[in-house]
Amino acid sequence: MSLASRVGLRLEPRVDNPRWMNWAVPVCSFIAALLVGSIVLLITSQNPISVYQRILERGFLDTGSLSGTFISATPLLFTGLCAAVAFKVGFFNIGGEGQFYVGAIFASGIALSLGADAQSWIAVGAMVLAGTVGGALWAFIPGILRAYFRTNEIITSLMLNYVAGIGATYLIFESDSFWRELGGTGAVFPKGKIIPLSAQWPSFDLGNLVVPFGLLLGAVVAIWLHVLQRRTRFGYEMRVVGGAPSTARYAGMRPARVIVAVAMLSGGLAGLGGAADVGNFRHVLDPKGLQQSGFGYAGIVVAALARLNPIAVVFVAIILGGITNAGYALQGPDFPAGLVGTLEGLILFCTLGGEVLVRYRIVNTRRQAVAS
Amino acid sequence: MSVNSNLFVIIFASAIFYGTPLVFAAVGELLAERSGVINLGVEGMMLLGAVSAAMVAANLDGPAAVVLPIALLAAMVAAGLGAAIHAFLVITLRVNQIISGLALTIFGGAAGLSSYLANVWGLGKQPAMNQFGRMDLFGLKKFPVLGPILFDQTLLTYLSWVLVVLVMVYLFRTRMGLHLRSVGESPQTADSVGISVTRYRYGHVIAGGMLAGVAGACFSLTIVPTWANGLTSGEGWIALALVIFGFWRPDLTLVGAYLFGALSSLSFTLQARGIDVPTALLDALPYVATIVVLVIVSNSRISKRLGSPAALGRPYEREER
């Protein structure tokens, strides 16, 4: 018998859905996660109040901190959209990580091959396209395997993350590839070629705040996805396939095709994130940096917290981007690495638990039994 | 050169050595899935187990016979607690099993709690003082061919063989095993004959987590053998694939684990022999092989007969009966 039923509690599906719960429950879940997190911090003899205060300051409040937060939020925005779109149709693509790498490989490749003489808008446009295509192709593999060969996409997409990581490492560390800088210090320490200035994505300086082009592009893509899901035929098919695959088949849709299309859309979004990461920030193919950041996995947290809603993904990406950015800025003995992921995991656990309160009412069966 | 330094003997022997954590993790996941609960948190639970075992091995003074069992116990408790969070969320609160499991992997994973705890505890600076060494079982280590393969392994490997036999007997020869399978196939039926679906699911998800903890301890106490961030390098996910590969049977899962143990050790076995193969190709091999094997298994005829537990991934709600 579970703990809940032992103390006489039972979950009952809600008939009414009070509006205030839609914001109150996530907020309370977030606070609950911070409380649980402070227990972890106390056990490991850290001061929770000062840790949270420093995250808030370095992530959002200090001058210039929001600009740094936007940099961390940009990749999370794209990988968050990647997971949100796919999970919505029940295609659990957790290969956003690998699709992000492949996007970065394609985008840096095209930027390097266009060279320094290309016009800026052509170079940036080509990178957007190449990154998207790269990610989409990488996601095509688990998509087609799931749709036509009934193979579990969770495992295949995840295995491809490792393959993509090994591939990127090979290009820079184990071969004399086109991506690798062979002259200068690159002859001693393996590193990638820096993309030409004309291919580096612009950022918009608003005085105290620098907004990267990638973030704006991501926000536009999020709105486009929202429209795609709500207002188009394809969006309708996605909803039906996600909700009831057999109904979709009876209605004359082709669920397999929809799944492959969604897989490629999802992978394309992650690949575009990889392009933005190279174009806006790193300016180089950096396999170690990519694999340490783990943007693809964090994107799953973003999507789940945003309840798979593309518009909400934008805001959640900025919040988690702030925590990530604070993590980079504060890393040291008082702020050990791994704290950010721990907090993200706790926030996700509490939100998942909290969502139950939106769907169900907790009924005290003991009292009911006495009353009847 | 003796027959025991033959390349194939070495590959077989290291297949078993490197396959051992996969056996523990996959058999644990198999128990949870037989009860109808998928737990994608294997990788996270393994890392939690690995870091706890490393912590005990680094800080507890004493003879290996005392320290190592405590380290294993710590790994089982830590990973079991992780599994308990998943169990509470998906069994009691009926949260989506896939998302909850992913959350567990992110929480415990290479960028999460395991890395945080290792940093706080200052682990990974030197090799573990106490390790599970290879033991010369029955003094047969030098026996031709079979010696290095079967009689020169660590205690953990021998324990994993005992585990596979016990779980086989449990699943297919005991009343509780029968009840477990019925809970995974048809919880309604099981409930109607008085089997507690909730209790069986909690029990097996947590037991599965504890075995994932042992799998993690295999890394920090024998294979690496110290703490390194993300030291399991995705083997928790390969364990999930092995459960499908083994048709939810411990014996077939063991065969799969050794196959992947061979693949993941091939890179340095060949390098040590001076055989020149691009490392990237060999490193990618276990992951690519997992995909290929999974596609073949998912489309084979047998998978229709020996498929997944029918209620896998579905929360059980009594009122839906």
Side-chain angles (χ1 to χ4, degrees), chain A residues 11 44 149 158 162 337 342 356, chain B residues 92-93 113 116 119 234 237 299:
Chain A
L11 298 177
T44 52
F149 297 91
L158 191 107
Y162 289 97
T342 307
V356 173
Chain B
T92 302
L93 298 185
L113 189 61
Y116 173 70
N119 280 316
W237 296 101
N299 289 281

Side-chain angles (χ1 to χ4, degrees), chain B residues 166-181 200:
Chain B
L166 286 181
V167 174
M168 280 299 283
V169 172
Y170 172 69
L171 277 179
F172 302 111
R173 291 278 180 276
T174 66
R175 181 169 290 269
M176 266 184 84
L178 181 69
H179 288 177
L180 170 66
R181 285 183 288 142
Y200 267 85

Side-chain angles (χ1 to χ4, degrees), chain A residues 284-347:
Chain A
V284 66
L285 181 63
D286 171 14
K288 285 227 167 98
L290 282 174
Q291 289 178 70
Q292 273 163 9
S293 318
F295 290 127
Y297 299 117
I300 297 166
V301 182
V302 173
L305 293 182
R307 290 177 173 189
L308 314 184
N309 176 331
I311 305 290
V313 164
V314 181
F315 297 99
V316 175
I318 291 172
I319 294 173
L320 286 196
I323 300 177
T324 311
N325 176 34
Y328 289 140
L330 294 167
Q331 200 155 130
D334 291 342
F335 199 98
L339 189 53
V340 169
T342 307
L343 288 177
E344 280 177 359
L346 286 176
I347 295 171

Side-chain angles (χ1 to χ4, degrees), chain A residues 29-332:
Chain A
S29 309
F30 194 81
I31 293 169
L34 294 185
L35 287 176
V36 179
S38 57
I39 298 173
V40 175
L41 289 167
L42 282 173
I43 292 173
T44 52
S45 51
Q46 303 273 344
N47 181 349
I49 296 173
S50 81
V51 166
Y52 291 148
Q53 192 186 356
R54 276 180 298 161
I55 291 180
L56 199 62
E57 283 168 1
R58 298 302 284 270
F60 302 97
L61 301 178
D62 286 355
T63 19
S65 59
L66 204 56
S67 304
T69 290
F70 281 172
I71 292 177
S72 302
T74 305
L76 292 178
L77 170 49
F78 286 105
T79 53
L81 291 175
C82 158
V85 171
F87 283 32
K88 194 104 190 179
V89 296
F91 181 82
F92 289 96
N93 175 19
I94 45 178
E97 186 78 20
Q99 292 140 20
F100 191 87
Y101 303 163
V102 176
I105 294 173
F106 272 51
S108 52
I110 200 103
L112 291 171
S113 53
L114 284 174
D117 301 330
Q119 272 186 310
S120 191
W121 66 271
I122 292 179
V124 173
M127 285 175 78
V128 167
L129 206 66
T132 311
V133 169
L137 286 177
W138 205 242
F140 175 73
I141 304 170
I144 202 112
L145 290 180
R146 154 79 190 271
Y148 294 99
F149 297 91
R150 290 173 306 180
T151 308
N152 184 319
E153 77 281 8
I154 299 174
I155 293 166
T156 53
S157 64
L158 191 107
M159 291 295 124
L160 287 172
N161 291 346
Y162 289 97
V163 177
I166 291 165
T169 308
Y170 175 77
L171 291 178
I172 301 300
F173 291 92
E174 287 160 25
S175 65
D176 294 343
S177 76
F178 177 63
W179 283 260
R180 181 169 175 179
E181 178 65 68
L182 293 167
T185 53
V188 193
F189 305 106
K191 61 177 185 184
K193 282 185 208 155
I194 294 176
I195 60 170
L197 258 178
S198 60
Q200 298 184 3
W201 294 17
S203 290
F204 306 104
D205 198 338
L206 310 174
N208 280 334
L209 189 62
V210 181
V211 183
F213 171 67
L215 188 74
L216 294 178
L217 183 66
V220 172
V221 171
I223 296 167
W224 172 73
L225 280 175
H226 181 79
V227 175
L228 183 78
Q229 284 180 337
R230 301 286 169 91
R231 298 260 182 278
T232 66
R233 186 194 156 87
F234 180 60
Y236 176 68
E237 290 188 346
M238 284 201 283
R239 279 210 299 284
V240 180
V241 169
S246 48
T247 312
R249 212 168 297 117
Y250 295 135
M253 298 172 190
R254 297 183 182 195
R257 280 193 187 186
V258 175
I259 283 176
V260 175
V262 171
M264 293 182 75
L265 172 64
S266 163
L269 290 164
L272 181 51
D277 194 49
V278 170
N280 242 156
F281 316 114
R282 264 187 243 269
H283 306 310
V284 66
L285 181 63
D286 171 14
K288 285 227 167 98
L290 282 174
Q291 289 178 70
Q292 273 163 9
S293 318
F295 290 127
Y297 299 117
I300 297 166
V301 182
V302 173
L305 293 182
R307 290 177 173 189
L308 314 184
N309 176 331
I311 305 290
V313 164
V314 181
F315 297 99
V316 175
I318 291 172
I319 294 173
L320 286 196
I323 300 177
T324 311
N325 176 34
Y328 289 140
L330 294 167
Q331 200 155 130

Side-chain angles (χ1 to χ4, degrees), chain B residues 85-198:
Chain B
I85 302 176
H86 179 67
F88 176 70
L89 284 174
V90 304
I91 300 167
T92 302
L93 298 185
R94 297 173 206 154
V95 165
N96 180 314
Q97 296 187 0
I98 292 181
I99 296 182
S100 168
L102 286 173
L104 180 54
T105 283
I106 288 165
F107 171 68
L113 189 61
S114 68
S115 145
Y116 173 70
L117 291 176
N119 280 316
V120 171
W121 291 333
L123 296 177
K125 294 187 179 80
Q126 60 229 9
M129 281 188 295
N130 289 298
Q131 312 173 1
F132 282 101
R134 290 174 185 272
M135 44 199 283
D136 188 358
L137 196 66
F138 310 128
L140 287 173
K141 181 174 140 181
K142 295 224 163 65
F143 194 82
V145 186
L146 291 183
I149 297 176
L150 296 180
F151 302 111
D152 187 26
Q153 300 286 351
T154 68
L155 179 64
L156 288 168
T157 300
Y158 303 124
L159 285 178
S160 74
W161 294 348
V162 175
L163 175 77
V164 167
V165 173
L166 286 181
V167 174
M168 280 299 283
V169 172
Y170 172 69
L171 277 179
F172 302 111
R173 291 278 180 276
T174 66
R175 181 169 290 269
M176 266 184 84
L178 181 69
H179 288 177
L180 170 66
R181 285 183 288 142
S182 70
V183 166
E185 295 293 342
S186 173
Q188 287 84 352
T189 319
D191 194 7
S192 68
V193 297
I195 301 167
S196 167
V197 175
T198 312

